[in-house]
Amino acid sequence: MAENNTGHIYTVSKLTRKIKTLLEESFPFIWVTGEISNYATPASGHSYFTLKDSGAVISAVMFKNQKRNLKFEPENGMKIFGLARISLYEPRGSYQLIFEHLEPDGTGSLQVAFEQLKNNLASKGMFDEKHKKQIPFLPSKVCIVTSKTGAAIHDIVTIAKRRFPNCCLEILAVKVQGESADIEICDAIDYANLNSRADLIIIARGGGSLEDLAAFNSENVANAVFESEIPIISGVGHETDFTIADFVSDLRAPTPSAAAELAFPDKTGLQSMILKYQVQMQSLMQIKLNSSKVELSNLKTRLKTPVGMIYDARLKLEDLQERLFNTMNHHIQNQKEKLSHFTDVLYARKPESKINEFRQTVNILTQTLNHSFISRVQLKKAMLERLQTKLVTLNPESVLERGYSISRILPSRQVIKSAGDVNKHDKIQVILSQGELTARVEKTNGQKKNI
């Protein structure tokens, strides 16, 4: 075995360990920037990814304990910079970066976290108008979730006293920034829903940086606002500040003072409006009352008393009764006159005389009909006898009995009327009074023979 110049031979394990020591001692902590790819977080909670630029790629990992301090969620394609240490994994001889801290490159982590959470909640529909509850017009009790020492509570209480001092206020003091501020805000919202019997909740704080408003940009507060059964007005920051709580709440006010203006109606204005409506209502009622009085007076003049109506009805009934009697009497008299006239006519035309007259007419007509019928029958009988005689005379059988015969050409059976109808040697049939003959023509001539 050949030896190297130093005379020392390394095993793979020793060489790897040597390189690991050199790397970790030479680069204990370094700042690295690059683009994330192949980002994955298995069940262990550790995140494994690749950090790359245009010329190289290096493996990286961030353990679960370090990830708890991140304000955003790393994603593929995101450019970051972070503090890391180099470590070499001896079994494979590969090195990787172990990150202790990450920041988005170019944009603050809080802003990235804000946009990520906003997009995530929007995709779940938590900002949709269909989930917004109606803000009560005249709340009897309002819970104010804010810091007890900030200017926001002073502004809200001042405006509430000025606009509507009758409303009951319950202040739920919480931390509005710093560690566990979001938890206190969530607990206050839950308490208001469970115990306060309030009609409205106002969550408020003054303006500040994105870091100061971080509690109102947490997912916990967003869920608490969304799940609240009591309507919530969000008045966080200045007019240009927008928080996640603003998007989820039922109504967003640009400032705490504006939230108070929206929550509490102006009592003076309401009283003026009520007074105005009262005057209008009284005026309209007076007009309506006067109109009704006039209408009632008109109806009274048109309305008759029951006694008068009965009297008028009685007069009308008597008049109708008299007209009915007159009409009946007139009709009866008319019918009597008609009956008398028809009686006279009937007596003038006695049925007995008419019957005798009709009987004589019937007898005459019967005799005439009988004579005419007998004469017509005798005439028809004589005519029938003449026709029978003529028929007997013209009967061919009678002619044959007198010695005549009928000749026909065979086989066509055409009756021979002239000698010219047959030819020599034609076969003919001769029909006699008794029987018939079949003969053949020997000679013909065209002259008639006198028999």
Side-chain angles (χ1 to χ4, degrees):
M1 181 184 297
E3 293 185 1
N4 59 12
N5 294 332
T6 62
H8 184 75
I9 299 176
Y10 289 95
T11 64
V12 175
S13 298
K14 287 182 179 181
L15 179 60
T16 302
R17 193 172 299 114
K18 183 70 173 178
I19 297 173
K20 175 180 173 67
T21 301
L22 288 173
L23 282 174
E24 292 180 356
E25 290 179 354
S26 301
F27 302 97
F29 286 100
I30 56 174
W31 288 94
V32 184
T33 182
E35 181 181 322
I36 294 177
S37 63
N38 301 321
Y39 186 83
T41 303
S44 64
H46 309 315
S47 294
Y48 300 90
F49 55 96
T50 300
L51 200 63
K52 66 179 182 178
D53 59 15
S54 59
V57 174
I58 186 172
S59 298
V61 63
M62 190 171 194
F63 296 119
K64 181 169 62 175
N65 291 336
Q66 282 69 35
K67 283 180 58 181
R68 292 175 181 171
N69 298 320
L70 290 183
K71 304 298 183 182
F72 70 103
E73 181 66 24
E75 297 177 348
N76 286 327
M78 181 182 290
K79 190 174 182 182
I80 57 93
F81 69 92
L83 182 64
R85 52 189 175 87
I86 296 179
S87 176
L88 188 142
Y89 185 57
E90 295 183 41
R92 287 201 300 267
S94 60
Y95 76 97
Q96 62 182 356
L97 295 175
I98 301 176
F99 278 94
E100 301 293 332
H101 177 73
L102 287 179
E103 287 286 345
D105 189 7
T107 303
S109 59
L110 290 178
Q111 184 64 38
V112 172
F114 174 85
E115 294 296 336
Q116 289 179 338
L117 180 59
K118 177 183 174 183
N119 294 333
N120 182 33
L121 298 181
S123 66
K124 295 179 181 179
M126 293 177 65
F127 302 160
D128 294 349
E129 286 296 325
K130 64 182 180 181
H131 299 304
K132 306 296 184 184
K133 293 177 282 295
Q134 184 70 34
I135 304 300
F137 171 70
L138 197 64
S140 59
K141 182 178 181 180
V142 177
C143 282
I144 304 172
V145 180
T146 187
S147 171
K148 63 181 179 180
T149 59
I153 186 62
H154 177 267
D155 294 341
I156 293 174
V157 172
T158 301
I159 292 174
K161 290 181 178 180
R162 173 173 56 84
R163 289 178 64 84
F164 199 76
N166 303 75
C167 183
C168 176
L169 301 181
E170 182 176 0
I171 300 173
L172 303 178
V174 296
K175 292 171 59 177
V176 293
Q177 69 181 68
E179 187 176 357
S180 74
D182 58 334
I183 297 176
E184 291 191 16
I185 295 172
C186 294
D187 291 342
I189 294 173
D190 293 339
Y191 174 85
N193 277 271
L194 295 175
N195 303 306
S196 69
R197 297 183 181 179
D199 300 317
L200 182 64
I201 298 174
I202 298 176
I203 57 175
R205 70 148 287 158
S209 64
L210 194 58
E211 288 79 3
D212 296 335
L213 302 178
F216 298 92
N217 290 323
S218 71
E219 188 171 1
N220 292 333
V221 172
N223 290 328
V225 172
F226 184 77
E227 294 170 1
S228 173
E229 296 182 359
I230 301 174
I232 294 179
I233 297 178
S234 173
V236 179
H238 300 301
E239 292 188 9
T240 57
D241 295 327
F242 282 90
T243 65
I244 297 297
D246 291 334
F247 295 114
V248 183
S249 63
D250 301 296
L251 180 63
R252 186 253 175 184
T255 63
S257 299
E261 296 281 347
L262 294 172
F264 304 106
D266 184 9
K267 182 177 180 180
T268 303
L270 290 177
Q271 290 174 336
S272 299
M273 186 181 299
I274 291 173
L275 182 60
K276 176 184 176 182
Y277 288 154
Q278 184 178 4
V279 172
Q280 291 180 354
M281 185 174 64
Q282 290 176 348
S283 176
L284 292 174
M285 286 298 294
Q286 188 61 45
I287 294 173
K288 181 66 176 177
L289 183 61
N290 294 336
S291 175
S292 299
K293 286 181 178 180
V294 173
E295 185 176 0
L296 179 61
S297 178
N298 294 334
L299 291 175
K300 283 183 177 180
T301 58
R302 294 165 55 188
L303 182 64
K304 295 182 179 180
T305 62
V307 176
M309 294 177 65
I310 294 174
Y311 181 75
D312 291 344
R314 181 179 296 169
L315 292 178
K316 185 176 182 180
L317 179 62
E318 292 176 354
D319 179 64
L320 291 174
Q321 185 177 7
E322 183 178 359
R323 291 169 60 186
L324 178 62
F325 287 159
N326 293 335
T327 302
M328 291 295 295
N329 291 332
H330 178 73
H331 180 72
I332 291 172
Q333 185 65 32
N334 188 27
Q335 294 299 319
K336 284 183 178 181
E337 292 177 357
K338 285 185 179 181
L339 179 61
S340 177
H341 172 71
F342 288 140
T343 301
D344 295 340
V345 172
L346 183 61
Y347 280 126
R349 299 179 181 181
K350 292 183 178 180
E352 291 83 355
S353 60
K354 286 293 182 182
I355 290 173
N356 292 331
E357 183 180 346
F358 289 149
R359 184 178 286 123
Q360 292 176 2
T361 302
V362 169
N363 291 333
I364 295 172
L365 291 175
T366 301
Q367 293 175 1
T368 303
L369 180 63
N370 289 337
H371 179 73
S372 176
F373 182 74
I374 293 172
S375 299
R376 191 171 183 80
V377 169
Q378 291 176 350
L379 179 63
K380 293 296 182 180
K381 187 175 181 182
M383 185 182 295
L384 180 61
E385 290 177 352
R386 287 196 304 271
L387 291 174
Q388 286 180 343
T389 302
K390 188 174 181 180
L391 182 61
V392 169
T393 302
L394 296 177
N395 191 352
E397 293 182 354
S398 300
V399 176
L400 294 176
E401 288 178 355
R402 291 198 301 270
Y404 292 95
S405 65
I406 298 173
S407 300
R408 294 188 299 184
I409 303 173
L410 294 178
S412 65
R413 296 179 179 269
Q414 178 183 351
V415 176
I416 301 172
K417 297 179 179 179
S418 170
D421 293 339
V422 296
N423 298 318
K424 188 177 180 179
H425 304 302
D426 282 348
K427 189 177 180 179
I428 63 174
Q429 180 186 35
V430 181
I431 300 174
L432 304 174
S433 174
Q434 295 181 356
E436 58 184 34
L437 300 176
T438 300
R440 191 173 298 277
V441 178
E442 295 294 335
K443 183 179 179 181
T444 65
N445 59 54
Q447 297 180 354
K448 265 182 154 185
K449 292 184 178 180
N450 294 323
I451 299 176

